[in-house]
Amino acid sequence: MDSAMMKTKRMLPVFAALAVAAFAAASAPAQTNNTAQARRGRAGEAERGVYKGRLVPHWFAADTKFWYRNDLRGEASEFILVDADKGTRQPAFDHDKLAAALSKAAQRQYKGDHLPISNLNFSDDARTVKFEAADKTWECNLDAYECKETAGAEGTKTSSLIAPDEPVAMAQPVVGYLLSPAAEEDDKTSKDDADDEPRGRRSRKSPDGKWTALVRDGNVFLRPQDGAERQLSQDGTTNHAYGLIEWSPESDVVVAWRIEPGDQKEVFNIETSPSGGGRAILHRRPYAQAGDRFTHYELNLFDVATGKQSKPAVDPYEHEWEPPRPHWLPDKRRLAYEQVERGHQRLRVIAVDTRTSEARNLVDERSKTFIWTAHNEMLNMNYINWLDKSDEMIYVSERDGWRHLYLIDTKDGSIKRQITKGPWVVRGIDRIEEEARQVWFHAGGMDAGQDPYFVQYYRIHFDGTGLTALTEGDGQHTVQYSGDRKYLIDTYSRVDMPPVHNLRKTSDGSLVCELEKADISELKESGWQSPEVFVAKARDGETDVWGIICRPKNFDPNKKYPVLENIYAGPQGAYVPKSFSATQRFASLTDLGFIVVQMDAMGTAFRSKAFHDVCWHDLKDAGFPDRILWHRAVAARYPYYDVSRVGIYGTSAGGQNAAGAVLFHPDFYKAAVANSGCHDNRLDKASWNEQWMGYPVGPQYSDCSNIDNAWRLKGKLFLIVGEMDSNVPPESTMRLADALIRARKDFELLVVPGADHGIRGPASAYAERRMRDFFVHSLLDKEPPEHNGMASASP
């Protein structure tokens, strides 16, 4: 299982991932057609005043050398050659000599720091280059510096790149581990194969090719290559039909699931202003909400030789949207599948012997709060990682209070070894090498004194020995590996520090050579200011809460400034930026005279299990006790930070949080903008809300409901919702508006026709402007501009 790994499509909602570049054959001369594209990408960066912020390596000579291009001030550039084996970094060639040789050959004048090169490639000995310039392809001997026109060059490919979940200044695909689902390549469709998930895979040919198992009229049938078909089940009905046909590897057992559909209730959107005009359009879609009945799957086994049907003594599998995904164990007679109990407090990996129908739990983990099994795409890993070459799996668990890796014996379910341990968390699995019995992973919190959210990269043996740090430096890291994985380029940055690039060995993580440090002098000259990282203690007086402070342009420490907090306290991640960006964060608000802050408080992810558990049964908490202490700590250090004028805004779960601030903490928060908020967790998707709020639905849902607590409103509240919201049903906002009206509370409401979740698209600028005007009026005590008197675009 020695391969780069990607998130399975079964993980919903699907977390977007970039493609990882493939590698060139080691014996071929290095060539690339990515130069022009890379140059265009870095040109955009250079326009923002950042140089050497990105590094795109082009490996050649059997992955022992690579070159890259730096764009510099004044539209200049340079090409750098690195010999990884020798640990040297130097100019790729004499730029002035190459410019002179090209000028002579092309009959044009070129300068060494403005070479118009694209599609550059080197010979393995780095003494000859091919490139495109002046609409021709050239070859140049770097001993004599003579250029001659030649045939066109083909392209090579760059190194693989692995990065953590947060978008940063460097390109970064998200990686995960493929949980081996039942193989589907042998599926055969027929007139019986309706494939209407969850009743999919209704016809499948056996591995030996002798049989076809199929579903007709809700029951399982077996058809030989030649001969009469026979019915295997009798208990399939319209509402309990069989589906999800599987064959054992030895073609002796048919596996099928009898499926009882869930409630399949719907939510509705009314499109009041369709683009073509005419009447409003009603849109409807299935949408399971907290407490709804899910689809149930009953496991059934059929012996091909005898036709005997058996029902293993296992609980029905139930899930909001994901059917069971069996995995065949190496003995070819046992299948295993992951089952998360409703409410997310129990996770099992159940193994069933298909010949005896005996079942046992390979994993049976329970939690008094929750096991984070849904909406965990930001983890970059699956909890269950099957090994192909042994009776083992690598399991991810927080059973000791921190997210770690465990080696499980799949014969009896015993824990053979805790692979990683300590007061830090594994953030992703990048690679599992079964031959070497090693895991390559990234983690946060291992380096004392650093921000615990910073990601670093590591490798460790299955037996827990040989932990090797592959990266080093106080910052958020991304890595790019050479094709043979002997070397990596380690890039790290912080919100207040531009990127640094180093070349390291993967054998021990040692530094081969320093490559680049980004130049942001031009960016600073434009007036750009970095955020300040600020740390304060949480409610327990011990735990650090990390955040950032962004100040206004032309900041005057002798003035008092109102504060806006950007909030998203959804427990499925952490959200404070960690990497460098040339963007002036929150500029549209800081330019108006606000200090804007963001922090990750208790109840969010990527810290200890106890830190995360604060959200359990209490999403209204949203870390507010920690957030308020954080604000007060800033004010204690900086007198200009006015905690008597604090506003808050957020979208989706952040919209729920923002409205909750002026309901549950109105003495501190004075104004709030809630965009597309989930204002009652009973009205939102079951998988997200039951995980944090629990199942069955109990009084805690009402306790945390903005709708049920609308009567508490003090201060100023602005609600925004798109009528076509496809994530959080818009009635969540409308019911809060109704409750506020019934409580005789004043508030503002913007319903955006045609807009989806978060008010993306053409109306986003309008909604953002309305938010800015709301805060100007509420916290700056000024009247915003009269926009109706301004010129506007005609319809």
Side-chain angles (χ1 to χ4, degrees):
M1 212 172 286
D2 180 11
S3 62
M5 299 162 289
M6 301 180 66
K7 272 289 188 185
T8 65
K9 63 184 179 181
R10 71 185 186 87
M11 303 296 289
L12 297 177
V14 175
F15 192 73
L18 301 175
V20 179
F23 302 113
S27 59
Q31 303 171 327
T32 181
N33 57 10
N34 294 325
T35 309
Q37 181 179 356
R39 183 179 180 182
R40 287 194 298 272
R42 288 194 297 277
E45 178 184 90
E47 289 172 2
R48 298 193 299 271
V50 178
Y51 302 95
K52 305 181 184 180
R54 303 181 186 214
L55 194 154
V56 180
H58 303 271
W59 290 88
F60 65 99
D63 295 320
T64 62
K65 302 182 179 75
F66 66 91
W67 67 268
Y68 60 91
R69 170 184 175 134
N70 285 328
D71 284 338
L72 308 173
R73 295 187 71 155
E75 298 185 354
S77 63
E78 64 179 359
F79 295 84
I80 303 298
L81 177 65
V82 177
D83 188 316
D85 283 354
K86 295 180 180 178
T88 59
R89 172 202 176 277
Q90 62 188 37
F93 37 72
D94 187 314
H95 290 61
D96 290 336
K97 285 185 178 181
L98 184 57
L102 180 60
S103 297
K104 180 179 179 180
Q107 297 297 301
R108 299 184 186 182
Q109 195 63 35
Y110 298 109
K111 297 174 62 177
D113 58 355
H114 286 75
L115 287 168
I117 289 176
S118 63
N119 287 352
L120 174 65
N121 57 95
F122 281 80
S123 61
D124 281 355
D125 61 8
R127 300 179 69 176
T128 303
V129 292
K130 277 188 178 182
F131 56 87
E132 291 182 6
D135 300 320
K136 296 180 180 179
T137 300
W138 305 90
E139 181 174 287
C140 184
N141 182 294
L142 298 181
D143 292 327
Y145 279 93
E146 293 180 352
C147 290
K148 62 181 181 181
E149 190 176 349
T150 187
E154 298 178 0
T156 62
K157 299 170 183 179
T158 60
S159 63
S160 67
L161 183 145
I162 298 179
D165 44 68
E166 183 202 355
V168 297
M170 290 66 69
Q172 49 167 17
V174 178
V175 299
Y177 195 80
L178 182 62
L179 173 63
S180 303
E184 305 246 358
E185 63 270 14
D186 60 343
D187 276 7
K188 303 295 182 182
T189 58
S190 73
K191 63 183 179 181
D192 304 293
D193 186 12
D195 203 23
D196 55 340
E197 288 284 10
R199 298 180 183 180
R201 299 203 302 275
R202 302 186 73 181
S203 175
R204 172 167 283 188
K205 198 169 186 178
S206 63
D208 63 9
K210 296 180 179 180
W211 304 89
T212 296
L214 56 99
V215 173
R216 183 184 299 118
D217 297 328
N219 280 296
V220 180
F221 289 76
L222 189 63
R223 179 191 300 154
Q225 276 185 319
D226 299 306
E229 159 180 301
R230 54 189 167 122
Q231 185 170 345
L232 298 182
S233 71
Q234 303 291 333
D235 56 345
T237 64
T238 301
N239 291 322
H240 290 80
Y242 281 89
L244 299 174
I245 297 291
E246 297 279 349
W247 276 96
S248 66
E250 302 292 337
S251 301
D252 58 344
V253 176
V254 176
V255 179
W257 301 78
R258 197 166 68 118
I259 303 166
E260 179 184 3
D263 286 343
Q264 298 182 331
K265 294 179 180 179
E266 296 178 316
V267 293
F268 306 89
N269 297 78
I270 298 177
E271 186 179 5
T272 59
S273 306
S275 59
R279 301 186 182 196
I281 300 173
L282 174 65
H283 299 261
R284 58 199 305 164
R285 66 187 189 279
Y287 190 99
Q289 296 177 328
D292 286 358
R293 179 176 172 80
F294 291 171
T295 298
H296 284 61
Y297 303 82
E298 178 194 65
L299 178 61
N300 285 259
L301 306 174
F302 300 91
D303 185 279
V304 172
T306 65
K308 179 182 178 182
Q309 177 181 4
S310 60
K311 296 177 181 287
V314 294
D315 295 332
Y317 177 98
E318 64 173 326
H319 203 278
E320 176 183 355
W321 42 259
E322 182 184 17
R325 301 284 181 176
H327 170 84
W328 289 95
L329 294 171
D331 59 18
K332 299 183 180 181
R333 60 183 286 173
R334 290 182 302 150
L335 66 79
Y337 59 96
E338 177 183 345
Q339 180 157 327
V340 178
E341 197 165 286
R342 189 81 182 263
H344 303 266
Q345 291 183 286
R346 186 184 187 190
L347 182 155
R348 284 178 287 173
V349 177
I350 302 171
V352 177
D353 188 319
T354 57
R355 296 178 187 173
T356 66
S357 297
E358 294 181 359
R360 73 180 308 161
N361 294 325
L362 301 181
V363 171
D364 189 357
E365 182 166 349
R366 302 169 189 255
S367 172
K368 294 181 180 179
T369 55
F370 60 88
I371 303 172
W372 184 15
T373 54
H375 301 274
N376 55 8
E377 298 79 21
M378 292 179 73
L379 283 179
N380 301 327
M381 65 182 125
N382 287 337
Y383 284 5
I384 312 300
N385 304 280
W386 300 105
L387 302 183
D388 295 331
K389 299 179 180 180
S390 63
D391 291 310
E392 296 168 312
M393 68 176 171
I394 293 176
Y395 174 61
V396 181
S397 172
E398 293 180 285
R399 63 182 60 201
D400 74 348
W402 304 85
R403 187 177 310 105
H404 284 301
L405 309 180
Y406 294 80
L407 186 65
I408 305 294
D409 189 324
T410 58
K411 294 190 298 293
D412 59 14
S414 62
I415 298 176
K416 299 179 72 172
R417 180 76 62 177
Q418 181 172 351
I419 301 173
T420 61
K421 63 178 62 177
W424 48 273
V425 294
V426 175
R427 294 279 298 272
I429 296 175
D430 305 317
R431 184 183 181 93
I432 294 177
E433 293 184 347
E434 292 195 57
E435 294 287 352
R437 294 184 68 79
Q438 293 177 333
V439 185
W440 302 55
F441 67 97
H442 51 278
M446 200 182 300
D447 295 279
Q450 293 187 16
D451 184 332
Y453 296 95
F454 285 160
V455 165
Q456 301 266 11
Y457 287 77
Y458 304 91
R459 185 181 59 247
I460 194 169
H461 294 294
F462 285 4
D463 64 5
T465 65
L467 177 64
T468 301
L470 303 178
T471 57
E472 183 179 319
D474 187 5
Q476 179 81 331
H477 289 253
T478 64
V479 298
Q480 300 180 77
Y481 291 106
S482 61
D484 58 8
R485 253 182 134 79
K486 288 177 59 179
Y487 299 100
L488 65 85
I489 295 171
D490 173 17
T491 297
Y492 67 97
S493 69
R494 300 190 301 266
V495 294
D496 57 358
M497 186 192 78
V500 175
H501 314 277
N502 292 319
L503 180 65
R504 296 186 176 277
K505 293 181 180 179
T506 59
S507 58
D508 58 8
S510 62
L511 179 68
V512 176
C513 66
E514 296 179 353
L515 297 175
E516 304 294 342
K517 293 183 178 179
D519 174 10
I520 61 169
S521 57
E522 184 176 289
L523 180 66
K524 288 184 174 180
E525 290 166 9
S526 72
W528 177 90
Q529 301 174 29
S530 69
E532 177 186 349
V533 177
F534 192 88
V535 185
K537 295 301 180 184
R539 68 192 79 177
D540 61 4
E542 298 179 357
T543 305
D544 286 336
V545 173
W546 292 73
I548 59 172
I549 303 171
C550 299
R551 295 175 176 82
K553 185 167 58 176
N554 303 319
F555 170 74
D556 182 351
N558 295 312
K559 294 182 178 179
K560 282 274 192 178
Y561 290 91
V563 177
L564 293 179
E565 179 184 339
N566 177 23
I567 188 170
Y568 188 95
Q572 78 274 22
Y575 310 97
V576 174
K578 298 299 174 184
S579 299
F580 179 82
S581 173
T583 301
Q584 192 70 62
R585 300 183 193 272
F586 309 120
S588 66
L589 294 169
T590 57
D591 286 351
L592 294 173
F594 295 101
I595 292 175
V596 183
V597 301
Q598 188 175 0
M599 71 214 72
D600 286 312
M602 286 186 169
T604 53
F606 306 144
R607 301 286 290 275
S608 69
K609 184 68 167 73
F611 189 101
H612 205 184
D613 279 347
V614 169
C615 71
W616 172 244
H617 276 203
D618 195 10
L619 284 179
K620 76 176 186 303
D621 179 277
F624 279 122
D626 315 309
R627 296 172 186 276
I628 293 170
L629 288 171
W630 191 94
H631 282 289
R632 295 195 185 282
V634 178
R637 182 179 300 181
Y638 302 121
Y640 53 76
Y641 193 93
D642 190 352
V643 289
S644 70
R645 291 183 293 163
V646 178
I648 189 168
Y649 67 96
T651 298
S652 194
Q656 175 183 8
N657 306 145
V662 290
L663 298 178
F664 300 108
H665 303 277
D667 293 336
F668 186 81
Y669 292 98
K670 307 304 181 186
V673 175
N675 185 340
S676 307
C678 167
H679 296 293
D680 189 310
N681 300 107
R682 293 165 292 192
L683 300 177
D684 192 33
K685 63 195 74 62
S687 59
W688 196 89
N689 294 275
E690 289 184 4
Q691 182 164 230
W692 321 120
M693 291 297 294
Y695 177 85
V697 172
Q700 71 273 17
Y701 279 81
S702 178
D703 293 342
C704 292
S705 168
N706 290 345
I707 296 170
D708 291 355
N709 288 279
W711 59 273
R712 297 177 182 272
L713 176 65
K714 295 180 182 178
K716 299 177 180 179
L717 174 62
F718 180 20
L719 303 176
I720 302 175
V721 67
E723 68 176 10
M724 296 303 295
D725 195 320
S726 60
N727 185 343
V728 178
E731 61 259 34
S732 186
T733 295
M734 301 309 293
R735 291 189 194 182
L736 176 55
D738 176 63
L740 290 167
I741 291 169
R742 287 188 284 105
R744 299 183 180 181
K745 297 291 183 177
D746 290 336
F747 65 100
E748 294 187 31
L749 172 65
L750 172 63
V751 180
V752 183
D756 202 340
H757 191 65
I759 320 300
R760 299 184 295 272
S764 62
Y766 177 80
E768 290 169 7
R769 191 262 290 171
R770 288 287 305 275
M771 181 183 77
R772 293 193 298 269
D773 288 352
F774 173 81
F775 282 132
V776 166
H777 177 78
S778 301
L779 298 177
L780 288 176
D781 198 23
K782 295 179 180 179
E783 287 302 319
E786 175 52 64
H787 298 282
N788 290 348
M790 298 180 180
S792 61
S794 60

